[in-house]
Amino acid sequence: DGTENVNMNDRQSITLNAGGNIQSYNQFSAGNDCVLTLGAGEYYFKTFTAGTGLQIVIPQLNAGEYVRICVQGKVEVSNGVNLQNNNGDYTTFMLYSDYQSADDEDYAIKFASYHGNQQNYGVIVAPKGGVRFENGIIWTGAIWSKGLSMANGCSLQSVV
């Protein structure tokens, strides 16, 4: 279990690089308009919260490499998350939450856009919780969750 926290102030950019291995942390917390770049590997957090405008960047990876974010609790992003996956294969990024939703209004993962339509490319897994998309999120890839809710111009796209 990781004990180190990852805290980002408003408009801060950081890069985490697990070197293709597993890296465990306690909490992830980001202010507004932050950029989180993740190198190949798995990143484990107990909690994951962010203010408005979080950008998650997955750089070009080598063949067989991937990025996974695994969260024990909720993934809570206030508004405006943008996943920039620079790889041609949606399976190169996965977001997992182990949070168990109490009811249909309690979400394990919640993404919302404040820039209109935002393309996001990857895999979401929340087997015990719901997933909520709001305000123009376009998700391409796969979703496995207890429930899925979408509002205000969101859509799912398949990969051909």
Side-chain angles (χ1 to χ4, degrees), residues 33-38 48 50-58 69 77-86 93 95 110-121 134 136-139:
D33 301 316
C34 293
V35 178
L36 172 64
T37 302
L38 297 171
F48 192 100
T52 300
L54 175 64
Q55 183 174 12
I56 300 172
V57 178
I58 310 303
I69 298 175
V77 180
S78 294
N79 200 5
V81 65
N82 182 26
L83 170 61
Q84 182 184 335
N85 186 347
N86 294 299
F93 175 78
L95 175 61
K110 184 176 178 182
F111 279 0
S113 169
Y114 68 96
H115 293 301
N117 293 344
Q118 280 187 293
Q119 179 66 52
N120 295 275
Y121 195 65
E134 297 177 350
I137 291 291
I138 301 168
W139 192 267

Side-chain angles (χ1 to χ4, degrees), residues 43-110:
Y43 301 87
Y44 288 81
F45 298 96
K46 291 179 183 168
T47 62
F48 192 100
T49 58
T52 300
L54 175 64
Q55 183 174 12
I56 300 172
V57 178
I58 310 303
Q60 185 67 43
L61 301 172
N62 295 321
E65 291 183 329
Y66 58 85
V67 171
R68 289 189 184 130
I69 298 175
C70 301
V71 182
Q72 186 176 2
K74 285 185 175 186
V75 176
E76 299 182 277
V77 180
S78 294
N79 200 5
V81 65
N82 182 26
L83 170 61
Q84 182 184 335
N85 186 347
N86 294 299
N87 298 274
D89 180 357
Y90 73 90
T91 63
T92 56
F93 175 78
M94 183 182 79
L95 175 61
Y96 174 89
S97 172
D98 198 31
Y99 180 79
Q100 184 167 348
S101 296
D103 56 43
D104 289 344
E105 299 298 317
D106 185 25
Y107 303 104
I109 298 172
K110 184 176 178 182

